[in-house]
Amino acid sequence: MKFYSLNHQAPNVSFQEAVVNGIAPDRGLYFPESISALPVDFFQNIENYSNNEIAYELIKQFVGDKIPEKELKEIIEDTLSFDFPLVEVEKDIFSLELFHGPTMAFKDVGARFMARCLSYFNKNKTTELTVLVATSGDTGGAVASGFLGVKGVQVVILYPSGKVSKVQEKQLTTLGQNIKALEVTGTFDDCQDMVKTAFLDHEITDKMQLTSANSINVARWLPQMFYFAFAYKQLKNNSKEVVFSIPSGNFGNICAGMMAQQLGLPIYHFIAATNVNRVVPNFMQTGNYIPLKSIQTISNAMDVGNPSNFIRIQNIFNNDFEKIKEHLSSYSFTDEETKETILSIFKNSNYITDPHGAVGYLGLKKYLKNDSDKQGVFFETAHPVKFLDVIEPVIDKKIDFPEQIKQVINKKKEASLIDSYKQLKEFLLK
Ligand SMILES: *Cc1c(COP(=O)(O)O)cnc(C)c1O
């Protein structure tokens, strides 16, 4: 299996090269050359497979022969060492809880899978690899935890000062070892721009090997297919078609769901639920994709003004707007609506959602208003404790710290403050 660049100006590469490069030399995102659907009876009998077996079946064609079967199965087992519960919040509305991993956000799976692949590829190498990543909140922590102590890999994380939650900041600034945090005076888009510039800067790339760990990296992106299959497995016997609502920022998660659908997973419809950063909802109304400056919200992991993975979605559907509309709806919600929803779900169902999950729930409800014979899943992408400052005043209740959070919350933050690309460059080259 080879991957090509969506800018079509770079050589096709193996899974290994796609993971190590992160992004193609022509700045395009990598995309698999072919997608072969799995046998129909695999999905018909999916309840007979364990999560690890399902994950292996979904990902094996993309990894190809770059990781042998035995090692790939070990990587999967190690990656998926926690639960993915599906909770019925109200009739036919389910929360898929993706926050039971070490940093309590769904990005743990992609980050752990990618770290283990890189560690496998790096086994016999003497050269160091630097993972350079921009975070709007959760990526940083997941990448820090996933890569902690991985030999031959240095991790540099850029995050926007004052724009991530306290728990998120602790998770990415307190681990030490091979993990370094840079606090940027600016927005997430500024962080992402600096990272992109560094990848293009030969004075840096001649001296060190850089890779990304954002969802542009295929090893972070593709494992997110698993969630959709894990949920489907549990809902299949209800005999209603399944709609997924994904709180979306960079659109990696939802795009992975569309890949799972290409593999044959029966998904009736996708909803991309966003906060007021509404580039995609606008696109779905007008057919024009116009990047906007990102706006700060309480669901900060989705404060993205130019979602990097949307181009992959367009590619899956051959840039056919009508076809995209057939499979995807997208709605935008304000912070006010999000808070009201956190409170109403808590009051009506005694269930606490985080701001991202609440946006997902809102998207699902809006869609199901017109199509009520379906069952719906919204992704609960982070544990509410990661957004304490928002949630506690809304529901007027204290949230207990889970074990994963207790371990970092009192540790000392270590980060270097930077405010320009020049400073990032000096940091990398020193
Ligand atoms: C990253 C993140 C999202 C957005 O996911 P994308 O794949 O970038 O669309 C949503 N919720 C939480 C909690 C996140 O950390």
Side-chain angles (χ1 to χ4, degrees), residues 105-107 138 215 224 247-253 301-302 354 356 381-382:
F106 80 92
K107 293 184 172 77
D138 284 328
S215 51
Q224 298 171 156
S248 296
N250 254 325
F251 283 69
N253 215 357
M302 311 198 292
D354 94 294
H356 306 79
T381 45

Side-chain angles (χ1 to χ4, degrees), residues 14-21 66 117-129 150-153 209:
S14 69
F15 176 74
Q16 174 166 355
E17 290 167 293
V19 175
V20 171
N21 294 349
K66 288 299 154 193
C117 289
L118 270 187
S119 169
Y120 175 81
F121 296 143
N122 239 20
K123 243 180 359 194
N124 303 314
K125 296 233 171 73
T126 46
T127 49
E128 274 216 335
L129 190 65
V150 172
K151 275 217 295 280
V153 180
Q209 190 169 14

Side-chain angles (χ1 to χ4, degrees), residues 104-107 135-139 168 215 220-221 224 246-256 273 299-304 307-309 354-357 379-383 386-387:
M104 316 212 83
F106 80 92
K107 293 184 172 77
T135 183
S136 56
D138 284 328
T139 299
Q168 287 175 327
S215 51
R220 260 244 8 234
W221 168 52
Q224 298 171 156
I246 314 305
S248 296
N250 254 325
F251 283 69
N253 215 357
I254 193 165
C255 181
S299 46
N300 65 23
M302 311 198 292
D303 295 353
V304 182
S308 19
N309 284 288
D354 94 294
H356 306 79
F379 279 11
E380 179 43 313
T381 45
H383 192 290
K386 296 192 83 170
F387 303 93

Side-chain angles (χ1 to χ4, degrees), residues 9 27 33 42 51 91 119-120 122 150-151 219 263 284 287 338 383 391 402:
Q9 306 292 322
R27 315 309 306 148
E33 253 186 347
F42 170 70
N51 280 358
K91 188 168 161 18
S119 169
Y120 175 81
N122 239 20
V150 172
K151 275 217 295 280
L263 292 179
M284 296 308 294
T338 307
H383 192 290
I391 310 276

